[in-house]
Amino acid sequence: MARTTAEPPRWWRMSVLMACSGWLLLAAAYYFYIPIFHTIWLFTWLLIGIGWLWAGLWTFTAVMSYLSIRSYGRAVAGLVLAVSVGALLGRVDWPVTSVKSMLWLCRDDFAEVASAYERGRPVVVPAWMRSLAVDGDVQAQENGLYFPVFVDLWRAETGVGFAYIPGTADPRRLLQTAAGDLGAPTHDLGNGWWWVE
């Protein structure tokens, strides 16, 4: 008697594809959090919440489809992979990671802006780079060229961003991060650029 195996449901491949696309879209939403926040700040967390819901529900559907054909190894592997990706997405400091990777990918553009600041020339920031700053407002200050990323717009008491700080940066070199707040460099992003809190 020939042994027969259960045919997987037709939708199992679609559920796996949809789960993978959900995790990729969620990672992209986190990576581009800064420009998304500056464009549609009111809906940013709604977008991320929908991403988690999409990825979670389709992952659940994919795992259930594997269980329905008694493919327990694939079900466990899919679940472990999804939990690992979810944990990674939750642990990464996305604003710092995003800015650091943009500095690396577009180092020539950032070097040009930094050079103009150091030489005292007018700093012309490309339009795409302005999307990293609140309202595209890049500030040439005494201690560095500051890109405000997040600012408490109601009271202007707190601010966070990144800056080009020529020479050696130390915690005593303060930059004005908001009308009522001063920040110090905390994370070295490379080539004289620092995350400021």
Side-chain angles (χ1 to χ4, degrees):
M1 192 177 248
R3 186 177 171 188
T4 60
T5 58
E7 275 296 310
R10 280 190 217 162
W11 46 268
W12 78 274
R13 283 190 182 171
M14 184 185 74
S15 64
V16 171
L17 182 64
M18 295 300 275
C20 290
S21 67
W23 289 111
L24 286 173
L25 288 172
L26 186 59
Y30 273 121
Y31 181 77
F32 293 108
Y33 179 82
I34 294 170
I36 292 171
F37 181 81
H38 291 163
T39 307
I40 55 170
W41 66 271
L42 191 60
F43 300 106
T44 305
W45 287 108
L46 179 64
L47 178 69
I48 288 175
I50 289 170
W52 277 105
L53 192 62
W54 176 286
L57 287 176
W58 280 108
T59 297
F60 176 77
T61 305
V63 168
M64 293 309 289
S65 69
Y66 281 131
L67 289 175
S68 71
I69 59 169
R70 293 187 170 93
S71 181
Y72 303 118
R74 287 183 181 179
V76 169
L79 190 58
V80 167
L81 183 63
V83 168
S84 300
V85 169
L88 177 69
L89 290 176
R91 289 190 53 104
V92 172
D93 186 353
W94 284 105
V96 173
T97 302
S98 173
V99 168
K100 190 170 187 171
S101 67
M102 286 183 196
L103 285 165
W104 181 76
L105 289 170
C106 305
R107 57 185 163 270
D108 293 339
D109 291 338
F110 280 100
E112 208 172 290
V113 168
S115 174
Y117 171 77
E118 276 190 336
R119 292 184 178 149
R121 294 191 322 235
V123 178
V124 179
V125 179
W128 71 266
M129 201 182 290
R130 287 183 159 308
S131 69
L132 299 175
V134 175
D135 296 330
D137 180 30
V138 179
Q139 304 163 3
Q141 299 181 16
E142 183 181 342
N143 287 332
L145 180 64
Y146 180 66
F147 286 70
V149 175
F150 302 113
V151 177
D152 174 8
L153 295 176
W154 291 333
R155 292 172 291 168
E157 291 178 351
T158 58
V160 176
F162 68 100
Y164 174 73
I165 302 174
T168 305
D170 67 56
R172 292 181 303 250
R173 289 185 78 175
L174 300 176
L175 290 123
Q176 185 162 8
T177 56
D181 189 29
L182 294 174
T186 57
H187 304 307
D188 185 4
L189 303 174
N191 298 325
W193 293 90
W194 290 81
W195 186 256
V196 178
E197 294 180 353

